[in-house]
Amino acid sequence: MKKIKIILSLLIIVIAIGFLIAKKDGGYSATDVLENANFTVENPSITIHTVDTDKEDIYTRIKIPEETQKRLLQAFQNAKFDKATINPVDYDYRITISLNTGYTMYLVSEKRSLTVNRTEENYTMVNDNDFFSILEKVTK
């Protein structure tokens, strides 16, 4: 009986440690956030608009060179995400990633966060692979 208690205790400890490691490395991938997005399609693109609620037309499109679009898409694809809470007043960009379908999101660059329009889910990029630094350079 004593051996069973020791084995059971060790088993519980191993499972708990495994769960903590999985949770730490876990989070969400870009395909989780965008509901099975296919990043291998031909001619993927990204469209970015600034959001300024003080203007009559609150969206202003930013022209992005094709090479920069590829870098942004690659960074987004490799990013990791966690669930978050975002105040819509803070949005400063609206982006649309066109892959197998269009995925529109609103970004809060200061908090490295986004809201996926289709699902209304909020996420923070915990490992953005320079997505926001590339975005900052292209929007200046």
Side-chain angles (χ1 to χ4, degrees):
M1 187 71 167
K2 192 173 187 179
K3 286 183 180 182
I4 292 174
K5 287 182 181 181
I6 292 172
I7 291 172
L8 187 59
S9 297
L10 289 173
L11 185 61
I12 290 172
I13 291 171
V14 169
I15 290 171
I17 290 172
F19 177 75
L20 291 174
I21 291 171
K23 178 71 175 158
K24 181 180 177 187
D25 294 336
Y28 299 91
S29 69
T31 54
D32 295 332
V33 170
L34 299 183
E35 295 183 333
N36 300 316
N38 182 0
F39 284 90
T40 62
V41 298
E42 285 187 41
N43 302 318
S45 66
I46 185 167
T47 306
I48 300 177
H49 292 85
T50 58
V51 178
D52 186 352
T53 56
D54 293 333
K55 294 182 179 179
E56 186 175 329
D57 184 12
I58 65 171
Y59 301 113
T60 304
R61 185 173 178 164
I62 299 170
K63 294 185 187 249
I64 306 169
E66 191 173 322
E67 185 60 37
T68 305
Q69 287 185 41
K70 288 179 184 177
R71 289 179 44 225
L72 281 166
L73 288 166
Q74 185 70 33
F76 190 89
Q77 180 182 2
N78 294 328
K80 296 291 181 199
F81 303 85
D82 279 337
K83 292 274 187 169
T85 302
I86 301 172
N87 185 349
V89 174
D90 295 335
Y91 295 148
D92 44 7
Y93 298 103
R94 178 182 73 178
I95 68 169
T96 301
I97 295 178
S98 298
L99 302 168
N100 48 319
T101 188
Y103 299 94
T104 301
M105 293 161 272
Y106 291 90
L107 301 177
V108 180
S109 58
E110 181 181 302
K111 296 180 181 177
R112 298 186 182 279
S113 301
L114 60 97
T115 300
V116 178
N117 197 33
R118 179 180 291 161
T119 61
E120 296 184 10
E121 293 286 337
N122 302 310
Y123 299 93
T124 299
M125 284 188 177
V126 292
N127 177 5
D128 73 349
N129 288 291
D130 294 325
F131 179 85
F132 282 100
S133 61
I134 297 167
L135 179 65
E136 183 180 328
K137 288 176 187 173
V138 83
T139 56
K140 283 190 176 183

